Amino acid sequence: MDKFDKRMKAAREDYAPSSGFVDRTMDEVRKHKIHRRFSLKVWGPTAAGVFAVLVIAIVLAPKPVHNNVVDNTKSQSGTHKAEKEKTTKSPTPISDGTDDASLERDLGSIAGSMSRSDSEQSEAESALKDNEQQISIPTS
Amino acid sequence: MTDRHEIAIIDEVRGGNADHYRLLVERYHRGLVQHLYNITHDGPSAEDLAQEAFIKAYEKLAQYNEAYAFSTWLYKIADNMAYRHLKQLKPSKDITEIQEMIPDEKPAADEKADKEQERRAVRRAVDTLPLDYRQVVTLYYFDNCSYEEIAEITERPIGTVRTWLHRAKDQLRKELYGQI
């Protein structure tokens, strides 16, 4: 400890509390209660605040308009129909030389090959049935 | 009184036995009043603040974390009250009150008077510090707290406590050695 520290510590002035301090303090302490950690007094205002914020959020939340819902469902059914038609009909080319046109052609060829494979499969199935009929030997 | 004994007393008080709190008041009241007197330089104010600190600590006993010493927690509550009390004092009144308490005196031949003058000069210099520095200096020099205890009471890192104490010492040296 250097000279400065000694000088500082020496400057401490002693003060003793008056007699009866403990009794007076205990008299005051008995008038008060321990705040419980989850008491209503502690958490009540917080819960009330959270509840108020939720109510305001629900009241101010944007509500969906009824007409839009109906229109959306109509348009959805319309688009669904259009998609169905696309898979059955071959797509009409947009124009030559564009990426979209080539994509359309590719999709069309895929759809065509799918329909061809379907017809091949049905032919194979019918051929199989014919074979089964030939193979089955009537028992005497 | 060991820490385990203290924790047992606190549990009893939490359980509803308020009379056991007297044991804690009896143990800490002298040191707490002295500590608050070091801050306020006023005996009645120090006692009032100490009483309020004990009451508040009792009310908040459910929130007390046993990882820390009860004395540290109590001093933290007391310090917050004391420095809030100082901030609420009107600035001009604060200065005049301090000046009245620590008047300038002519040097006396008596050794006791010299010591008293020295003490007043140091306290006057400490009162010129910002509140944060003043708190750290008071805890370190007048309450003999360690850096760790000061860090817990002030809720600052130990590095910050060391820095503040170092800066406060520089300021005090200028204030004290500038007068001589």
Side-chain angles (χ1 to χ4, degrees):
Chain A
M1 195 186 295
D2 62 6
K3 197 176 173 183
F4 176 80
D5 287 343
K6 285 181 185 173
R7 189 180 175 188
M8 289 296 296
K9 285 191 181 279
R12 181 176 182 268
E13 188 175 355
D14 289 335
Y15 178 84
S18 56
S19 61
F21 176 88
V22 176
D23 291 330
R24 287 198 306 274
T25 302
M26 285 308 299
D27 288 341
E28 290 299 319
V29 163
R30 286 190 193 95
K31 293 176 188 174
H32 292 77
K33 286 183 183 177
I34 295 176
H35 294 154
R36 298 293 163 202
R37 196 169 290 186
F38 296 107
S39 69
L40 195 63
K41 193 174 178 179
V42 175
W43 291 101
T46 308
V50 168
F51 181 71
V53 166
L54 281 171
V55 166
I56 291 166
I58 289 166
V59 166
L60 293 176
K63 290 171 187 166
V65 179
H66 183 67
N67 289 334
N68 288 341
V69 172
V70 174
D71 290 337
N72 280 339
T73 52
K74 277 187 182 173
S75 63
Q76 276 177 12
S77 61
T79 52
H80 185 64
K81 274 186 186 173
E83 281 173 5
K84 250 190 170 177
E85 284 170 0
K86 269 188 184 175
T87 54
T88 51
K89 287 183 184 173
S90 58
T92 53
I94 297 167
S95 62
D96 286 331
T98 62
D99 290 338
D100 290 334
S102 62
L103 182 62
E104 290 289 335
R105 279 199 294 276
D106 290 341
L107 286 172
S109 65
I110 289 166
S113 65
M114 278 172 69
S115 63
R116 277 197 296 277
S117 67
D118 284 342
S119 63
E120 284 171 358
Q121 190 173 353
S122 61
E123 282 178 7
E125 281 173 356
S126 64
L128 187 63
K129 277 184 184 172
D130 292 338
N131 286 336
E132 281 177 351
Q133 283 172 359
Q134 287 174 6
I135 289 166
S136 61
I137 300 166
T139 52
S140 56
Chain B
M1 194 187 297
T2 62
D3 286 338
R4 265 188 290 172
H5 190 197
E6 200 168 86
I7 289 167
I9 291 169
I10 291 167
D11 285 339
E12 281 284 321
V13 176
R14 280 174 178 163
N17 197 342
D19 289 334
H20 276 61
Y21 194 67
R22 188 186 185 91
L23 297 167
L24 296 172
V25 176
E26 280 174 353
R27 187 180 187 199
Y28 293 114
H29 78 283
R30 285 185 204 281
L32 189 64
V33 169
Q34 174 70 59
H35 170 66
L36 289 166
Y37 180 78
N38 290 335
I39 297 170
T40 62
H41 307 302
D42 181 38
S45 296
E47 290 196 26
D48 287 343
L49 287 168
Q51 196 172 84
E52 282 179 39
F54 275 118
I55 291 167
K56 193 153 191 182
Y58 175 76
E59 285 179 337
K60 291 175 119 182
L61 211 55
Q63 298 164 35
Y64 164 63
N65 185 355
E66 289 158 12
Y68 300 99
F70 180 78
S71 59
T72 305
W73 188 62
L74 181 66
Y75 273 51
K76 198 188 304 182
I77 293 171
D79 269 12
N80 287 339
M81 283 180 163
Y83 288 105
R84 205 180 306 133
H85 169 77
L86 287 179
K87 280 179 186 173
Q88 284 170 357
L89 289 174
K90 287 179 186 174
S92 57
K93 190 179 174 185
D94 190 17
I95 290 168
T96 52
E97 271 189 342
I98 290 166
Q99 285 174 345
E100 280 166 16
M101 284 187 297
I102 312 169
D104 288 327
E105 286 181 358
K106 288 180 184 176
D110 192 11
E111 193 181 324
K112 202 173 176 183
D114 283 342
K115 279 186 178 176
E116 184 60 30
Q117 190 185 1
E118 166 73 7
R119 191 180 294 143
R120 284 178 180 170
V122 168
R123 277 164 41 202
R124 203 182 304 135
V126 170
D127 288 342
T128 63
L129 293 172
L131 284 178
D132 288 335
Y133 290 13
R134 188 170 158 181
Q135 185 183 18
V136 170
V137 163
T138 304
L139 286 166
Y140 185 75
Y141 285 115
F142 303 149
D143 296 304
N144 298 316
C145 289
S146 64
Y147 287 120
E148 289 78 16
E149 287 170 328
I150 296 171
E152 279 185 23
I153 291 169
T154 59
E155 293 180 308
R156 303 283 180 180
I158 289 178
T160 303
V161 170
R162 287 179 193 272
T163 303
W164 284 2
L165 195 60
H166 180 75
R167 289 178 186 167
K169 280 165 89 168
D170 284 345
Q171 210 168 319
L172 286 169
R173 281 196 184 96
K174 281 181 194 171
E175 188 70 26
L176 289 167
Y177 298 145
Q179 289 177 355
I180 297 170

